[in-house]
Amino acid sequence: MIIIGHYGIAYPKFRKVSDFTEIAKVENHAIVWFDVCDDKGYVLSHHCLQNRVKYALRVDNVTDFVIYAALKPVYIILEKSPELYQKIAECYLMDTKILYVIQEQGEIEELAKMGIDGVIFRQVLE
């Protein structure tokens, strides 16, 4: 299981972006991320894909999940129904890993039992 944001485990920095100029300012070792609603016309995703920028995005519905998975983000961030999305990812053998947003360490056990790819602590995204 991937665990991002736990104080005992090293993890990459995540930087929220909303346009190209912000992507250019992000350090190479960091992962840019954005909400699907900020990616009008898939412009940010295509930019990241074409320029080999590691990126993640937050989705809130299955249609966006499936479409954006084809655009090769490193992670897709979820805040609801992780088990449903994990089943879809496994069915279609997606390379993208699912990260479910958590608040505290106590949530990890249940998500691990569900077979979710990973978790990300909310403070990493703030």
Side-chain angles (χ1 to χ4, degrees):
M1 175 179 237
I2 301 162
I3 301 173
I4 297 176
H6 187 277
Y7 64 88
I9 302 169
Y11 60 92
K13 291 182 180 180
F14 279 64
R15 299 284 187 233
K16 186 169 187 186
V17 298
S18 58
D19 62 40
F20 296 119
T21 59
E22 291 176 349
I23 293 172
K25 295 176 186 175
V26 174
E27 311 87 19
N28 288 339
H29 62 277
I31 296 175
V32 300
W33 78 274
F34 46 88
D35 287 305
V36 167
C37 64
D38 293 332
D39 193 18
K40 309 231 182 333
Y42 309 100
V43 176
L44 295 173
S45 294
H46 283 289
H47 175 80
C48 290
L49 184 61
Q50 291 170 346
N51 292 286
R52 297 182 182 169
V53 174
K54 289 183 180 178
Y55 77 104
L57 48 95
R58 184 166 45 192
V59 302
D60 63 3
N61 66 69
V62 172
T63 301
D64 284 340
F65 176 76
V66 173
I67 291 170
Y68 276 95
L71 295 172
K72 310 277 188 228
V74 176
Y75 302 113
I76 293 182
I77 302 166
L78 305 170
E79 296 203 41
K80 64 179 183 179
S81 309
E83 202 165 17
L84 167 67
Y85 290 93
Q86 188 68 51
K87 286 179 184 175
I88 294 168
E90 290 169 4
C91 179
Y92 292 110
L93 300 173
M94 295 176 175
D95 293 331
T96 300
K97 297 296 183 189
I98 294 171
L99 294 178
Y100 188 72
V101 179
I102 63 171
Q103 293 279 87
E104 55 190 46
Q105 181 174 320
E107 297 173 73
I108 294 173
E109 182 176 348
E110 189 63 33
L111 292 159
K113 289 177 182 177
M114 287 183 210
I116 306 306
D117 289 332
V119 296
I120 185 166
F121 283 80
R122 184 168 303 283
Q123 70 266 15
V124 173
L125 302 174
E126 295 173 349

